[in-house]
């Protein structure tokens, strides 16, 4: 470990995990360069955030411009980037979702979403899904079940929060196989209403349309549509947490578009401002209108510089065709990974939408966290940064910036394959 990092680490809490020991000098696009001039491909996008690539020149220029004229409003003044962002967001959000509350981080947007749901419905119950990650502040942590470490020693959580299994087909809670699945996870919900809380006391259901931290899992077609039907029939608000899956990550502005489902409330963050702190609670005017002035607020939320970065980010995604690039590159990555899966026994499952792709490692049918650790370390040594996710930390999350080119994908996957060989984790079939 670099000596300066070691010194700083003395003062940084161990609770904060920093995934590599790389001390960055500069970054551009998919590449990060350390202080010694070593270059890395960043297939993490800084936790699925730098969707336009590191330091996109148009985003940097917008930040510079705004920083030199007006930095902070604290909800005292209006400023041009806020007005422009309202229009830009309105152009890309699902139909009818036209009203916004801007805040700073994903967890804050989730807090806003559940407060809005309770306030609007006058109901207390919240239903989340086991395996989901929604953030670390107390309300969001009450919904989060992707790993027990986010919950241990923090009880009691928010009352009236319940959980139902996320449809994680590769490791089904109900031991079904995709070929014979009868969607027990949906039947369970009906049982749930009979045994635990009546639907008329539930304010909202909150779910990630593609599971992020919980394992990069795409739910089966039809699951979210059925949830939408249940919510509409029972007057429960459907909250789709698009903090990670939104802003083009899956090849559409929002992952919900793949499933033809329109939520009632949608928290968005991460990729929205290419790395500056910004998040937003999105909903319909009719719902937001019932949230009276002062019922929610913020000092820093929607700050001028982040809003300017977000307007530039949306422009770049549109002008550079990044949604399409995410779809094309995503399909290319999936195809290459599936052919690796045929060769290497350690790859149990490959799945994803756009550039939100999970590679699940197994050994003798069980999650293989040890193997993944060795493969990731070997990749890092060779200049490829990837990280893992999932409750057993046995899934590689592949989330390169949406600007990634085919040659960068080829280089990255080449390194991945060398790492499988070098470590012996791959073990040919
Ligand atoms: N929701 C989802 C789906 C996330 O993936 C995350 C972060 O990874 C959050 C909420 C929390 O976001 P933040 O870390 O910005 O608070």
């Amino acid at each position: 470990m670099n000596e300066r990092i070691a010194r700083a680490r003395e003062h940084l809490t161990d609770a904060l995990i920093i995934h590599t020991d790389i001390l960055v000098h500069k970054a551009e696009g998919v590449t990060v360069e350390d202080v010694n001039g070593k270059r890395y491909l960043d297939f993490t996008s800084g936790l699925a955030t730098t969707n336009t690539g590191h330091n996109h020149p148009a985003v940097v220029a917008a930040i510079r411009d705004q920083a030199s004229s007006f930095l902070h409003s604290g909800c005292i003044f209006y400023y041009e980037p806020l007005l422009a962002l309202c229009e830009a967001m309105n152009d890309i959000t699902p139909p009818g979702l036209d009203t916004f509350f801007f805040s700073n981080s994903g967890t804050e947007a989730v807090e806003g979403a559940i407060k809005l749901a309770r306030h609007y419905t006058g109901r207390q119950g919240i239903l989340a899904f086991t395996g989901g990650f929604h953030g670390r502040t107390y309300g969001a942590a009450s919904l989060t079940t992707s790993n027990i470490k986010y919950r241990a020693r923090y009880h009691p959580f928010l009352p009236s929060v319940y959980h139902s299994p996320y449809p994680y087909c590769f490791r089904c809670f109900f031991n079904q196989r995709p070929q014979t699945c009868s969607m027990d996870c949906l039947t369970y919900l009906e049982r749930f209403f009979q045994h635990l809380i009546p639907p008329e006391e539930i304010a909202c259901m909150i779910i990630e349309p593609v599971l992020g931290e919980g394992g990069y899992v795409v739910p089966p077609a039809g699951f979210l549509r059925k949830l939408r039907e249940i919510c509409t029939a029972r007057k429960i608000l459907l909250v789709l947490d698009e903090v990670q899956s939104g802003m083009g990550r899956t090849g559409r502005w929002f992952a919900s578009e793949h499933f033809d489902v329109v939520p009632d409330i949608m928290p968005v963050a991460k990729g929205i401002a290419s790395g500056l702190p910004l998040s937003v609670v999105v909903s319909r005017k009719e719902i937001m209108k019932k949230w009276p002035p002062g019922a929610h607020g913020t000092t820093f939320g929607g700050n001028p510089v982040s809003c300017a970065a977000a307007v530039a980010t949306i422009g770049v995604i549109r002008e550079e065709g990044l949604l399409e690039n995410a779809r094309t590159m995503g399909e290319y990555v999936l195809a290459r990974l599936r052919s690796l899966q045929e060769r290497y026994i350690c790859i149990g499952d490959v799945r994803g939408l756009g550039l939100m792709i999970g590679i699940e490692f197994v050994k003798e049918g069980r999650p293989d966290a040890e193997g993944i650790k060795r493969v990731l370390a070997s990749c890092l040594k060779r200049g490829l940064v990837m990280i893992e996710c999932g409750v057993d930390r046995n899934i590689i999350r592949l989330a390169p910036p949406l600007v990634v080119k085919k040659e960068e994908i080829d280089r990255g996957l080449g390194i991945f394959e060398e790492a499988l060989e070098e470590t012996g984790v791959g073990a040919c079939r």
Side-chain angles (χ1 to χ4, degrees), residues 47-49 104-110 132-137 140 144 206-214 216 240-245 267 269-270 278-279 356 397:
L47 288 182
T49 296
N104 302 283
S105 61
T107 198
E108 263 183 86
V110 167
F133 184 90
H134 300 283
R136 295 166 182 274
T137 49
T144 291
I206 177 162
I207 186 165
E208 291 165 83
V210 177
L211 204 58
E213 156 70 19
Y216 272 37
L240 292 186
D241 180 344
E242 295 258 19
V243 165
Q244 182 157 177
S245 56
K270 289 195 184 277
L278 185 71
S279 62
M356 190 167 181
R397 46 173 127 177

Side-chain angles (χ1 to χ4, degrees), residues 61 83 94 128 215 258 262 314 336 373 384 389-390 409:
L83 312 184
H258 291 281
V262 177
I314 293 170
R336 281 206 50 180
K373 241 193 228 160
L384 171 66
C389 63
I409 297 275

Side-chain angles (χ1 to χ4, degrees), residues 406-422:
K406 182 168 172 293
E407 75 225 32
E408 291 164 326
I409 297 275
D410 285 339
R411 196 145 38 94
L413 292 184
I415 291 175
F416 176 56
E417 194 174 349
E418 283 164 22
L420 289 175
E421 289 287 341
E422 183 206 50

